Amino acid sequence: MGKPIALLSVTDKTGLKEFASRLAALGFEILSTGGTHRELAGAGLKVREVSDLTRFPEILDGRVKTLHPKIHGAILARRDLASHQQQLVTHGIEAIDLVVVNLYPFEQVLRREASVDEAVELIDIGGPTLLRAAAKNHAFVTVVTDPADYATVAAELEGSKRVSEATRRSLAVKAFAHTARYDAMVSHWLGARFGADKFPSTLTLPLPKRSDLRYGENHHQKAAFYGDPLALFGTEPSVSTAKQLHGKELSYNNLLDADTAIEAIKEFEEPSVVIIKHATPSGIASARTLLQAWKDAYATDTYSPFGGVVVVNRRLGADLAEELSKVFLELVIAPSFDAGALKLRARTRSRRSSSRRSASSMCAATRSSSRRRRARSASAAARPPASTAP
């Protein structure tokens, strides 16, 4: 049996050289392509080009690099089947034991105005194919998509000369999730430009996890929050694109209230304040200043705001922050905060502040079907117990 072989082809070079050095020290032959090969060779590591193994050059401006039987046969062959092993020998294929690939960050296309032609050229084909092949054959091959997993894989190899079954299974699941999210991002981006059905027969949601929540709707439940930081589903300010500036982590019910508050404040153009408790407005008001709007909204119901959420549609200043500090509030949301206001909020125990991205567009953002409203003050107070939060 020859040296174990590791195929490394990554866009994210974080920790690459250190990981490759540890693999080399373990006796791995390192196989690579393009920029990854240059990076490792430049660091003084002995690296073999994929084209040297396949005896076939990259073609079509790099569109075809690793799509070759000597690569995919090497990954997909079962080590427990004599027929597979015989075919490897017959065709001169050396088995690959470790595949390390992460895909071109299509998020970069989403963050700028790329043309369709440019975006299409950035769609990774070989990478997902390598990942899926290695993940399918996880009983014998280790697949790594995330630099955060390099240390675990290297440590297991150094400790027992193999990667445990549990780790291989976990990494295979992660690889399939990686390719699924990637394909979903491409699908959503192209669909938005090609006039695809807004309500497809199958809806895929490539949403990254923002955070684990302390608990779900009730204390005995577990929950996590998944957001849309790339605005795949719209560019309006929302709870999924908000940035928490300080305070303890948000709960499931905090997020429900925050979502209700943000959607409500979008209805108003004048300086406005919305107070939400248990997903129900307890006070809404518009005035010439935010401070007056707060006083009007709070006056409609001075009981329900305790432990509630407040959202405003202008930059929040120190004068209003001072008034808000007199009431226990779970969360205060604004397009932005004055330094003095944020400092005051941060001193208030257990209270949080959030700022929405695209602050300058906050006052104009609204659903196209909604009508602007002008409110002097309104109250629709309801105080169900926390266990009945929707």
Side-chain angles (χ1 to χ4, degrees):
M1 181 180 293
K3 285 185 174 183
I5 297 176
L7 171 58
L8 280 62
S9 182
V10 297
T11 298
D12 183 354
K13 305 298 192 295
T14 303
L16 175 67
K17 289 183 282 189
E18 179 186 354
F19 184 48
S21 296
R22 293 174 75 174
L23 293 177
L26 288 163
F28 273 82
E29 179 180 355
I30 299 175
L31 188 66
S32 193
T33 63
T36 305
H37 181 274
R38 289 191 293 273
E39 181 92 3
L40 296 177
L45 291 167
K46 185 178 180 181
V47 192
R48 188 178 181 186
E49 279 272 16
V50 163
S51 58
D52 177 58
L53 177 71
T54 62
R55 301 297 180 184
F56 200 91
E58 294 182 10
I59 62 172
L60 306 179
D61 299 320
R63 283 190 170 200
V64 179
K65 299 177 184 178
T66 58
L67 298 171
H68 193 283
K70 285 200 171 184
I71 298 298
H72 289 281
I75 296 170
L76 286 165
R78 287 178 55 172
R79 277 50 163 180
D80 61 341
L81 289 182
S83 61
H84 282 201
Q85 295 306 300
Q86 182 57 51
Q87 289 177 66
L88 294 186
V89 173
T90 298
H91 297 289
I93 297 174
E94 304 171 71
I96 293 174
D97 306 281
L98 174 63
V99 174
V100 183
V101 174
N102 51 62
L103 309 179
Y104 179 85
F106 201 75
E107 292 94 325
Q108 292 183 12
V109 173
L110 301 173
R111 290 192 177 103
R112 56 190 172 86
E113 289 299 320
S115 68
V116 170
D117 287 344
E118 181 185 2
V120 165
E121 286 305 314
L122 297 176
I123 296 173
D124 200 328
I125 301 300
T129 308
L130 290 169
L131 290 177
R132 289 173 59 81
K136 175 175 179 172
N137 207 26
H138 64 269
F140 309 102
V141 178
T142 301
V143 58
V144 185
T145 64
D146 186 350
D149 294 316
Y150 291 170
T152 297
V153 171
E156 289 193 15
L157 287 169
E158 290 164 349
S160 59
K161 305 301 180 184
R162 64 188 301 273
V163 179
S164 68
E165 181 180 61
T167 297
R168 281 184 277 111
R169 287 179 171 180
S170 173
L171 293 175
V173 171
K174 195 168 184 177
F176 280 122
H178 189 58
T179 59
R181 177 173 180 264
Y182 188 85
D183 286 342
M185 283 192 297
V186 173
S187 173
H188 281 289
W189 193 89
L190 291 177
R193 284 149 184 81
F194 292 170
D197 190 348
K198 291 184 180 295
F199 301 101
S201 57
T202 300
L203 178 64
T204 52
L205 301 174
L207 305 179
K209 184 165 71 173
R210 291 280 302 273
S211 63
D212 289 306
L213 304 179
R214 287 176 288 150
Y215 52 86
E217 184 174 357
N218 300 294
H219 282 267
H220 67 282
Q221 297 169 321
K222 293 184 178 180
F225 176 45
Y226 292 81
D228 183 23
L230 301 175
L232 289 173
F233 300 96
T235 57
E236 290 187 17
S238 69
V239 68
S240 72
T241 57
K243 178 182 179 182
Q244 186 174 341
L245 301 178
H246 71 83
K248 62 185 181 182
E249 65 273 19
L250 299 174
S251 71
Y252 177 91
N253 292 316
N254 289 153
L255 290 168
L256 285 183
D257 284 353
D259 180 63
T260 302
I262 291 172
E263 294 307 310
I265 201 70
K266 291 178 185 179
E267 301 290 334
F268 303 98
E269 289 183 327
E270 293 182 289
S272 301
V273 172
V274 173
I275 308 169
I276 298 292
K277 182 69 174 290
H278 298 315
T280 303
S282 67
I284 300 176
S286 295
R288 294 185 64 183
T289 66
L290 280 183
L291 183 59
Q292 187 58 52
W294 159 253
K295 291 178 179 178
D296 292 343
Y298 182 63
T300 63
D301 183 345
T302 59
Y303 179 84
S304 294
F306 183 86
V309 170
V310 169
V311 61
V312 302
N313 62 353
R314 298 289 194 279
R315 185 175 179 85
L316 197 148
D319 57 345
L320 180 53
E322 182 68 37
E323 288 298 311
L324 296 178
S325 69
K326 299 174 183 178
V327 180
F328 172 73
L329 299 170
E330 282 281 350
L331 181 63
V332 174
I333 307 170
S336 59
F337 291 79
D338 285 346
L342 192 58
K343 186 176 182 180
L344 180 61
R345 288 292 306 163
R347 288 204 307 265
T348 307
R349 181 183 295 271
S350 298
R351 302 179 194 179
R352 313 172 184 89
S353 297
S354 290
S355 176
R356 277 152 299 179
R357 293 195 297 180
S358 304
S360 62
S361 67
M362 174 56 198
C363 298
T366 183
R367 291 177 293 248
S368 59
S369 61
S370 67
R371 294 177 296 176
R372 297 291 187 182
R373 293 186 175 88
R374 177 187 176 111
R376 281 295 162 220
S377 64
S379 177
R383 296 184 291 277
S387 62
T388 64

